[in-house]
Amino acid sequence: MTDSDHIMQLRQQVANLHGLLLKAQAERDEAKSKLGRIMEGLEGTCMTCEPVGVRNQQMERDIETLKAERDEARREVCAWQGATSGKSFKDIATIRGWDCFKEDGK
């Protein structure tokens, strides 16, 4: 076998290994995607997993909306009470144990 035959054989082996690598990467990506869907509750072993997961995600969004509305209402109460008592808005919130003036909005 000549050097060029060895080179051709090595090139074929590299091409085969590259194909196997691409296949393994695709399988890995699919497994990661499936794991993500399972963790989000969108896939599982029962017929209700996906609808329950979708509903849970909607409820999480609803909770965030309700918290934002609650904090806005609390800020309005603090503003009103602060205007009538001479205390600052944040002081009123602290007295009531509210965190509606936090910087991160949570």
Side-chain angles (χ1 to χ4, degrees):
M1 191 178 266
T2 67
D3 285 345
S4 63
D5 290 337
H6 285 293
I7 291 171
M8 289 300 292
Q9 190 178 26
L10 288 172
R11 285 184 179 163
Q12 185 60 45
Q13 288 174 350
V14 167
N16 291 342
L17 289 172
H18 183 70
L20 291 172
L21 174 63
L22 292 177
K23 181 179 177 185
Q25 288 174 331
E27 289 172 358
R28 178 206 59 203
D29 292 345
E30 176 58 31
K32 283 172 72 174
S33 177
K34 183 173 183 167
L35 178 60
R37 289 190 306 271
I38 289 169
M39 291 178 72
E40 292 173 5
L42 298 176
E43 186 172 318
T45 59
C46 66
M47 291 177 25
T48 60
C49 289
E50 184 175 346
V52 169
V54 170
R55 183 64 185 129
N56 286 345
Q57 289 178 343
Q58 179 61 47
M59 288 174 19
E60 288 174 4
R61 288 189 296 271
D62 292 347
I63 288 169
E64 291 304 312
T65 299
L66 291 170
K67 283 181 180 179
E69 291 172 359
R70 175 206 62 197
D71 286 348
E72 180 60 29
R74 285 179 172 180
R75 287 189 289 272
E76 288 178 18
V77 167
C78 291
W80 174 81
Q81 193 171 16
T84 60
S85 71
K87 295 181 181 175
S88 78
F89 300 172
K90 290 185 180 183
D91 288 340
I92 300 296
T94 301
I95 291 167
R96 291 178 169 265
W98 293 344
D99 61 358
C100 54
F101 288 101
K102 285 174 54 175
E103 292 298 320
D104 62 6
K106 292 183 179 179

